Amino acid sequence: MQEKKIKFTDVLFVGLAFFASYFGAGNLIFPPMLGLQSGSNWLSGMIGMLASGVGLPILAIIVLGMCGSVQKISDHVNKKFYTVMIGAIMILCCCVSIPRTAAVGIEMGLQGIWPGAPYLVFVILYFVIAFLFAKDRGTALDKVGKILTPIMTIILFILVVKGAVSPIGTPGTASVDNAFVNSFLGGYSTGDVLVSFLAAGVFFDSIKRKGYEGEAFRKAHVRACLIAAVCLAIVYGGQAVFLFIVYGGLLYMGACVSTEYTPDSISNANLLLAIIRSSGGQIAIYGLCLSVVLACLTTAISQITAVADFYETATHGKLSYKVLVMIVPIVTTIVASFGLDTIVSLTSPWFSFFYPITLVMTILGIFEKKIPNDGAFKGAVYFTVIYAVLDLPHEYGFGFLDPVLNHIPLYGLGFGWIVPAIVGFIVGLIAWKGKGRTET
């Protein structure tokens, strides 16, 4: 059968839509605060954010595409591990990520223009709109990529270039010891690597629905990933001859007010509003609020689609996509009603729980064909899971296990999962020697 010729517009809109599924609430509210913390070390902070915000998510989705799916990697660990892990991440989405998009979109977007806007009413309206976009699985990503993402990207680009070219202040002393590590770990809160895992199936399915199979699928997938990477690089980007673009620009703008605010004196959302208001006045606030709503809405649509698609497969069709795509917005509406601060404070530690696990699986996926037996996969992942469980109390402020965890190399830098993963890999490799591996 003749390989289908790849159309640029096909991969362009899929790439833009996938970029939009990454760029949402967290990508707007966290960079300015990381810049504020980085102060005069903003460039190191920017590089750290670029590494965790662009490099890791795009690496993950490319690796998953090359392997074929998340499940083909997780099957080496355990046949049920995929359902358990991705199912847990999907629940996290329903309890954190998707409701957070509504809270940010309304509190920072709509109420930034109209302070008296009734919160709960607009939460309901927000998810009604998200449902209308997501209800047709076959065209959900196309609608996002063709309509919402370009508008959002243009507005954000204009706002940040204006703010970065005409800075409103001078970066002051950093409030953290290591701006790179602080920003790298801060990138976990955006949840972008988790997005790669939870939205991979929808992303791949969208390409396949356009008629790409085999080698044509792999080529289209890589090109769409590159488009998403370019967009993310623009959003997370850096500084080159005063060309600051959105994400790097937001971080730099936060650094420029580090002599005016301290991290403890202002919230993430209010910091961003204050920066934009000082930079461009009320007109800029209108532009920011519109782009915030669009950024949050595109992420919500993509993730609602992913959650509904996953649980339809996990229940073997007992719950259909059409039913699930109605249930998810109802659940997320209830959670979003508690407000942004409550959602972030109660649930953010779970990003730190899942990130090491997904990063280890991404690394294993890179070398999937070269690893001689399944024991290496099992050991690396299970040891990382154990570490993540032990570290979770610390993330919630309970340090009773810190005396033990502090003996783990790199723990103090936030990378304590690396040594357990390596030890688990070696132990599993030896213990499983001669038992072979699951062929994928």
Side-chain angles (χ1 to χ4, degrees), residues 205-222:
D205 187 57
S206 181
I207 296 174
K208 290 176 180 177
R209 285 175 182 272
K210 297 181 184 297
Y212 297 102
E213 298 179 355
E215 187 61 27
F217 165 77
R218 283 185 286 274
K219 289 179 180 178
H221 156 255
V222 170

Side-chain angles (χ1 to χ4, degrees), residues 131-150:
F131 163 74
L132 293 175
F133 272 87
K135 67 177 182 176
D136 186 348
R137 172 170 42 188
T139 61
L141 279 184
D142 280 351
K143 290 174 183 175
V144 171
K146 291 177 180 178
I147 302 171
L148 300 181
T149 309

Side-chain angles (χ1 to χ4, degrees), residues 161-392:
V161 168
K162 167 65 172 63
V165 171
S166 303
I168 58 178
T170 302
T173 304
S175 61
V176 293
D177 294 331
N178 191 319
F180 174 87
V181 171
N182 182 67
S183 294
F184 186 94
L185 297 177
Y188 287 7
S189 296
T190 65
D192 286 344
V193 171
L194 303 187
V195 171
S196 293
F197 275 75
L198 71 89
V202 175
F203 181 52
F204 301 153
D205 187 57
S206 181
I207 296 174
K208 290 176 180 177
R209 285 175 182 272
K210 297 181 184 297
Y212 297 102
E213 298 179 355
E215 187 61 27
F217 165 77
R218 283 185 286 274
K219 289 179 180 178
H221 156 255
V222 170
R223 292 180 189 180
C225 285
L226 290 175
I227 289 170
V230 169
C231 290
L232 278 171
I234 288 173
V235 171
Y236 289 81
Q239 179 247 5
V241 194
F242 296 106
L243 182 59
F244 291 88
I245 22 191
V246 177
Y247 209 168
L250 288 172
L251 188 144
Y252 176 71
M253 291 162 74
C256 286
V257 297
S258 55
T259 57
E260 185 174 349
Y261 301 103
T262 64
D264 296 330
S265 69
I266 191 168
S267 69
N268 292 291
N270 287 333
L271 175 62
L272 179 56
L273 287 170
I275 290 170
I276 297 298
R277 183 176 287 110
S278 298
S279 174
Q282 195 61 33
I283 293 177
I285 288 292
Y286 290 143
L288 172 68
C289 292
L290 177 59
S291 63
V292 165
V293 173
L294 290 173
C296 294
L297 188 60
T298 54
T299 300
I301 294 165
S302 299
Q303 293 188 10
I304 289 171
T305 303
V307 172
D309 184 77
F310 171 82
Y311 281 110
E312 180 187 53
T313 302
T315 60
H316 304 290
K318 292 178 182 178
L319 288 174
S320 70
Y321 179 87
K322 290 184 177 180
V323 171
L324 287 161
V325 84
M326 290 188 288
I327 292 174
V328 174
I330 293 172
V331 172
T332 53
T333 297
I334 295 171
V335 177
S337 67
F338 291 100
L340 176 61
D341 291 340
T342 301
I343 294 170
V344 171
S345 63
L346 292 180
T347 57
S348 286
W350 286 97
F351 286 106
S352 296
F353 175 87
F354 283 108
Y355 250 67
I357 301 169
T358 53
L359 291 178
V360 168
M361 291 188 65
T362 300
I363 295 168
L364 291 171
I366 296 173
F367 304 102
E368 192 262 344
K369 300 296 183 184
K370 304 294 183 182
I371 299 174
N373 63 54
D374 285 351
F377 290 87
K378 296 176 188 293
V381 172
Y382 288 151
F383 273 51
T384 304
V385 170
I386 292 171
Y387 165 81
V389 169
L390 295 176
D391 185 52
L392 191 58

Side-chain angles (χ1 to χ4, degrees), residues 383 386-388 390-391 401-421 423:
F383 273 51
I386 292 171
Y387 165 81
L390 295 176
D391 185 52
L401 290 176
D402 286 1
V404 176
L405 295 174
N406 283 330
H407 287 89
I408 300 175
L410 304 178
Y411 179 74
L413 293 175
F415 301 105
W417 56 272
I418 293 177
V419 171
V423 171

